[in-house]
Amino acid sequence: MQAVKSAVENLNPTRVKLSVEVPYDELKPSLDEAYAAIGQQIQIPGFRKGKVPARIIDQRVGREAVLQEAINEALPEFFGKAVDEHDLQPLGQPEVEITEVPTDESSELKFTVEVDTRPEITLPDFSAISVEVDPLEVSDDDVEEGLTTLRERFGTLVGVERPAAQGDFVSIDLTAKVGDQEVDSVNGVSYEVGSGNMLPGMDEAIEGLSAGESKEFTAPLAGGDFEGQDADCVVTVVSVKERQLPELDDDFAQLASEHDTIDELKTEVREQVEQRKKFEQGIQARDKVLDQLLDTVEIGVPESIVKAEVDSHLEGENRMDDDEHRGEVDESTRRALKTQFLLDEIVKRDEVQVSQEELIEYLIMSAQQYGMDPNQFAQALDSQGQVPAVMGEVARRKALSTVLEQVAVTDTNGQTVDLGELDVEDEADDDVADDDVADDEAQPADDDAATAEATDADATAGDDDATDAETTKA
């Protein structure tokens, strides 16, 4: 029996054209299945359902319809064989063209497939990479800031008879109108002046107002039917409270910690600040190493995937005609894809494995970020088929962590920085995963289904906009 033959042509570093020839004998099992399927769907007088001869089916529905049914079902398998033969890693939507349909047992099925593929990447010697980070310096001001943060946790709110100022907590009533239509109204909302987490311009409007006073301001709406439109807003201060902080004494040390004296608490706060700055060194080193790799390693990016991701992003924001924003999203999309391709290559070369414990730890951390129960979060990922994507993200984080173990890191004072004690991959910093692209990642095609996925590179688990791209049916 003749085997399927295929040839590959490299159209560019990230796109290939496969030419596939399938002998009639290889297609015949699919033809038999097509006849059986169609035979179950039609009724012919004198024949039981499912027992209609092939020649009668050809007469009633046409040989062409049977061939089309068979080819549609067989294409993924033949495409997958060609992909395996040439060791390709397809990405995105394959473009299929049927160039010849077999008319009898002496002819063949011929088709071509153009598809994007993962780029070939040559990894550098990581031990030759060096980066500089900020020195580890803990000042008295840093300790004071840490103590102030701790005092604020134990502070009390006390009502005051004066105008509101930065850092005060106010109770406010707020209304917003677009034209003559009221689009939002809230009463008795507690708000920290200066936090900036409500409407733009509201902090400036509140500052200087005493209880019972109001002020108008204009702000763009961030959601709802009037998203992006300017609204005429009125904020009324109902009450003003200031936060009074406890004194830094032994009593406070005993209240806020397990220590008996304020000096012991200050020592602990200094150690905590030092540990935080060590992690900041690690994150700074990680980002600089990644930037250096992306700048020096040649990594091709499939243009069709970039365009699809950028269009999807802009369409979701209703900003398809915003050329300036398109340029920003295009740049971040390319960086995110390059980052993923680079880290996936390291995972592949170094055979990075993800243990069950590491996966569980990542799921717990991610569930906390989403404010979800870890078990419910894991079940949601499993039901959406996202667990493999999460495994891939954990593996990429581990891969970058292994790179950090090999590079030379010094601070700007010339001191060697040892990152061995730090678990940088656990730091929740999405720059490694998505760079402001909506958590998209490119996955290799599933040969059995002849599918390819291109999802936003976030790597943040749970909300990947995965797009299954099936081989176009004949």
Side-chain angles (χ1 to χ4, degrees):
M1 181 181 296
Q2 291 178 290
V4 175
K5 294 186 295 184
S6 64
V8 63
E9 175 187 356
N10 293 316
L11 303 179
N12 62 47
T14 60
R15 191 167 181 84
V16 300
K17 180 178 181 180
L18 284 166
S19 299
V20 185
E21 298 178 1
V22 183
Y24 183 88
D25 286 344
E26 288 281 341
L27 183 62
K28 191 174 185 308
S30 297
L31 275 171
D32 293 340
E33 292 179 5
Y35 277 118
I38 294 174
Q40 290 288 340
Q41 299 169 12
I42 62 174
Q43 289 185 337
I44 305 295
F47 297 96
R48 286 182 298 165
K49 195 171 184 179
K51 300 296 183 180
V52 183
R55 60 182 177 81
I56 301 299
I57 293 177
D58 287 345
Q59 293 173 2
R60 289 300 182 96
V61 303
R63 171 76 168 176
E64 294 78 8
V66 179
L67 278 169
Q68 181 175 344
E69 175 82 13
I71 292 172
N72 284 344
E73 295 301 320
L75 270 179
E77 177 186 353
F78 298 138
F79 172 71
K81 288 182 177 180
V83 164
D84 289 342
E85 179 182 353
H86 299 285
D87 194 24
L88 301 176
Q89 298 184 66
L91 300 168
Q93 179 86 24
E95 297 179 4
V96 179
E97 180 183 1
I98 306 298
T99 57
E100 185 176 324
V101 176
T103 55
D104 53 40
E105 296 183 4
S106 63
S107 55
E108 296 180 322
L109 165 66
K110 296 181 181 180
F111 65 94
T112 62
V113 182
E114 287 193 19
V115 66
D116 291 314
T117 60
R118 283 182 177 271
E120 293 186 2
I121 300 174
T122 302
L123 296 175
D125 178 7
F126 298 136
S127 64
I129 297 175
S130 61
V131 295
E132 272 191 343
V133 297
D134 295 333
L136 178 61
E137 297 174 347
V138 180
S139 67
D140 291 340
D141 288 341
D142 293 326
V143 176
E144 186 65 30
E145 182 181 345
L147 288 170
T148 299
T149 300
L150 187 60
R151 291 170 70 199
E152 288 176 347
R153 289 174 51 191
F154 291 88
T156 56
L157 297 180
V158 178
V160 292
E161 299 294 332
R162 60 166 174 76
Q166 287 271 339
D168 286 341
F169 285 80
V170 293
S171 176
I172 60 171
D173 296 338
L174 180 67
T175 60
K177 291 184 177 180
V178 174
D180 295 329
Q181 183 176 351
E182 184 176 291
V183 296
D184 200 3
S185 177
V186 293
N187 296 312
V189 174
S190 179
Y191 179 71
E192 182 180 3
V193 183
S195 62
N197 56 14
M198 287 187 71
L199 293 174
M202 195 173 82
D203 285 316
E204 292 79 2
I206 293 175
E207 281 192 70
L209 295 183
S210 297
E213 295 182 336
S214 302
K215 193 169 185 179
E216 298 180 0
F217 66 100
T218 301
L221 298 176
D225 296 336
F226 297 90
E227 180 179 359
Q229 297 188 38
D230 285 340
D232 296 321
C233 306
V234 177
V235 60
T236 300
V237 174
V238 178
S239 64
V240 181
K241 295 180 180 181
E242 67 177 11
R243 180 159 47 192
Q244 295 185 350
L245 305 183
E247 294 294 329
L248 278 176
D249 52 24
D250 292 347
D251 289 338
F252 174 69
Q254 295 166 19
L255 171 67
S257 70
E258 297 179 353
H259 299 295
D260 294 326
T261 68
I262 190 62
D263 289 337
E264 292 173 345
L265 177 58
K266 289 180 178 180
T267 299
E268 181 185 352
V269 170
R270 181 175 291 275
E271 292 172 350
Q272 292 173 347
V273 172
E274 182 178 352
Q275 185 65 19
R276 174 173 57 81
K277 286 182 174 287
K278 285 182 179 180
F279 272 108
E280 290 173 356
Q281 281 186 323
I283 297 303
Q284 191 178 10
R286 183 196 67 183
D287 292 345
K288 287 192 172 186
V289 167
L290 183 58
D291 287 341
Q292 191 174 141
L293 288 172
L294 293 177
D295 289 340
T296 57
V297 178
E298 185 174 349
I299 306 173
V301 177
E303 293 299 324
S304 64
I305 289 181
V306 172
K307 184 178 185 305
E309 295 300 337
V310 172
D311 287 347
S312 175
H313 185 99
L314 295 179
E315 186 176 7
E317 296 182 335
N318 196 25
R319 299 174 68 177
M320 289 293 289
D321 298 327
D322 189 337
D323 292 337
E324 181 178 354
H325 187 49
R326 175 178 289 273
E328 296 170 352
V329 176
D330 182 277
E331 181 180 355
S332 59
T333 299
R334 291 177 185 277
R335 188 182 191 281
L337 287 172
K338 287 182 178 181
T339 299
Q340 181 174 319
F341 292 151
L342 172 69
L343 298 182
D344 283 346
E345 186 65 25
I346 299 172
V347 169
K348 178 182 177 182
R349 190 197 69 175
D350 296 346
E351 298 181 344
V352 177
Q353 301 294 322
V354 177
S355 68
Q356 185 175 3
E357 291 76 12
E358 290 167 333
L359 176 61
I360 292 173
E361 183 179 354
Y362 181 85
L363 290 176
I364 292 174
M365 179 182 67
S366 299
Q368 290 173 345
Q369 292 175 352
Y370 283 95
M372 294 180 63
D373 174 78
N375 289 328
Q376 293 179 345
F377 185 72
Q379 290 171 5
L381 289 178
D382 186 47
S383 65
Q384 297 169 15
Q386 293 296 321
V387 173
V390 175
M391 294 279 285
E393 175 57 25
V394 178
R396 293 182 198 106
R397 288 170 177 255
K398 287 190 64 176
L400 186 52
S401 181
T402 62
V403 174
L404 285 175
E405 294 174 358
Q406 302 174 57
V407 303
V409 182
T410 57
D411 64 25
T412 53
N413 293 332
Q415 298 295 315
T416 299
V417 177
D418 182 9
L419 301 179
E421 297 180 357
L422 301 180
D423 193 359
V424 178
E425 67 183 86
D426 281 346
E427 288 296 299
D429 187 321
D430 291 336
D431 284 347
V432 175
D434 62 40
D435 276 306
D436 199 33
V437 182
D439 300 335
D440 293 343
E441 52 183 84
Q443 297 289 347
D446 180 347
D447 296 339
D448 295 334
T451 64
E453 297 176 347
T455 68
D456 249 356
D458 210 64
T460 304
D463 192 25
D464 290 339
D465 296 329
T467 306
D468 287 345
E470 296 186 359
T471 302
T472 305
K473 295 196 171 186

